[in-house]
Amino acid sequence: MFPRLRGALSAVLIVLTGLLAPCATLAGWAMHGPADTGRYVATVAPLADDPDVRDAAADTLGSGFAGIVGEVTAGPVNGTVRLFVRDAARSFTRTEAFHEGWDAANRTVHATVLRALRDDATAGRPVTVDLAPVTERVRDRLAEEVPFARRIPVRHTAVTVLTAHQADRLREGYRVLDVAAFWLPLAAVVFAVAGIAVAARRRRAVTAAGIGTALGGALLALAVVVGRRLTVAELPGPVDGPAAGAVGAVYDALTATLRTAAWLLVGLGLTVALASWLTGRYGLLPRRRPPAQPAAEPPPPRRTRTGP
């Protein structure tokens, strides 16, 4: 094979390696991080102490309790009662019952969504969840501290988590990720090895592969930052409100391992590239030979007597 053809083929394979590395990392993170209910709940559990999450939860709970009070009293809720309900909701977010309810609600919703994404029989139907068991558990836990909490009604209402269109799109994406999480890392490794093997100058190919991997990791880290801004920007209301802060906190918690993986790609690629360059720069220098010692002069020929 001609050197130019080998170099071109090696360059193509190494470029593919740099492109596949961040995609493989993203697919692996999606399938082994947010797609696992236990890991998801463990990741978002500390967010129950986040101020933005607490404020957003207090606003939602306060609105819900105000509606319940309005139905019970059969009249509009005045400002004093609404303020009292909001303060009570904020106090509730600092209790252990809120932490238990936060974990239980996240576990229930995540397990329901994941079950719907994996079951083809749910195609064309929205994903709904009944949070009544979670509400009842929170009510019983709160009643240990506030006796009148047992009067809070528990209603079995199907809450729509995903519409039918959103669920169908996510189900297709989940299938793609399931396949990509296995094949993309394998393809990246194969392309990297093949690109180095066919290169006419393998040391340069190793350096290029390391630089390409580092660039792929940097692009992945940039994509995580841009994704956060787009996610917060699509929310209704001000970008500095409690809801936006809560969504941003959840996004940061879920993508923490992805950001770490992206910077690990950058570090790994730069390490490989630097090691390859240093080996080529200093590892193959010709060794200095010791100065040649002068050859010893041959002894003078011995004279032999020919006669008296």
Side-chain angles (χ1 to χ4, degrees), residues 25-107:
T25 304
L26 178 61
W29 164 81
M31 293 306 299
H32 300 287
D36 185 270
T37 300
R39 294 178 182 174
Y40 173 82
V41 174
T43 300
V44 300
L47 295 178
D49 295 324
D50 187 270
D52 292 327
V53 173
R54 282 181 172 178
D55 290 342
D59 292 342
T60 303
L61 292 173
S63 300
F65 287 149
I68 294 175
V69 172
E71 293 179 3
V72 173
T73 59
V77 180
N78 57 37
T80 303
V81 175
R82 190 176 298 276
L83 182 61
F84 172 77
V85 170
R86 189 182 63 177
D87 292 341
R90 289 185 175 180
S91 299
F92 169 69
T93 59
R94 291 172 173 80
T95 63
E96 187 64 27
F98 172 72
H99 287 76
E100 295 182 3
W102 172 264
D103 293 343
N106 277 286
R107 184 178 298 277

Side-chain angles (χ1 to χ4, degrees), residues 84-138:
F84 172 77
V85 170
R86 189 182 63 177
D87 292 341
R90 289 185 175 180
S91 299
F92 169 69
T93 59
R94 291 172 173 80
T95 63
E96 187 64 27
F98 172 72
H99 287 76
E100 295 182 3
W102 172 264
D103 293 343
N106 277 286
R107 184 178 298 277
T108 301
V109 173
H110 190 275
T112 303
V113 172
L114 195 61
R115 192 181 306 113
L117 295 181
R118 292 174 175 174
D119 188 5
D120 295 336
T122 59
R125 292 185 293 178
V127 179
T128 59
V129 60
D130 185 9
L131 294 179
V134 177
T135 305
E136 185 176 4
R137 187 185 309 175
V138 173

